[in-house]
Amino acid sequence: MEENKKVIESIITDIDESATLNLFQYEIGSVELYTNLKGNLIGEDSNININSIYFGYGKNELNLFYDIYHHAKKSNSDIMVNGALRDESYKNFKSTLDFKEGSSGSIGSEEEYATLLSDDVIALSVPVLLAHEDDVQGNHAASAGKIDTDLLFYLMSRGLDQQQAESLIILSRFAKAIDSIENQELKDLINDRVQEIVRR
């Protein structure tokens, strides 16, 4: 969460039979970010679940790349990314679900949703789905848009100012990832940080 920092992170994992990896990422501060995950589901009934949030502001540049390779039968993957962008920030999200030969019975999902708080942001999303087997199920979705004006009006009619209403909406979309944190102090820190960015 430190400002004016360039962050480069790479995660490579092999997930064996009946094992599960749950990964949560919170990207809410670095001025330039490059994060890459390569997940290999190599054991039958192996699982990977990714739940990430990001918030770009100022001239932040965020690059998020997720590559999941289904090698084994009945393997499962779930990528869920929620983000918000404001000012002149830039986001490049790319994810690939690759069902390799021998991965029959596998299920994969990749979803990314971006909330745009300014007209000058750039939001790129490229979800890719590759299948070398017939008996697999792959789902992908990506969307980017402004906050619903009716919802914003409703919250403001209940006494919230625009910044408070926007932060409440964004925090509701981030809630699942944030609520997974067991440390209450860290959870409060992330909530406060999101509200601070919205109110700038």
Side-chain angles (χ1 to χ4, degrees), residues 127-163:
V128 176
L129 185 60
L130 304 172
H132 305 274
E133 283 281 357
D134 294 328
D135 182 23
V136 296
Q137 181 179 333
N139 306 294
H140 60 181
S143 70
K146 295 185 176 181
I147 289 175
D148 185 291
T149 53
D150 291 337
L151 178 57
L152 196 60
F153 176 79
Y154 173 81
L155 292 172
M156 292 175 68
S157 70
R158 296 298 183 268
L160 299 178
D161 63 31
Q162 183 171 340
Q163 291 176 329

Side-chain angles (χ1 to χ4, degrees), residues 62-76:
L62 308 176
N63 300 277
L64 305 100
F65 308 123
Y66 298 98
D67 298 305
I68 306 299
Y69 301 95
H70 288 257
H71 296 278
K73 293 181 179 179
K74 299 180 181 178
S75 53
N76 298 281

Side-chain angles (χ1 to χ4, degrees), residues 35-37 63-67 79 90-96 110 112 124-128:
T35 181
N36 177 250
L37 167 74
N63 300 277
L64 305 100
F65 308 123
Y66 298 98
D67 298 305
I79 301 172
Y90 167 93
K91 179 268 306 180
N92 181 13
F93 170 81
K94 294 180 181 177
S95 65
T96 300
E110 51 187 346
E112 192 252 345
L124 304 177
S125 296
V126 185
V128 176

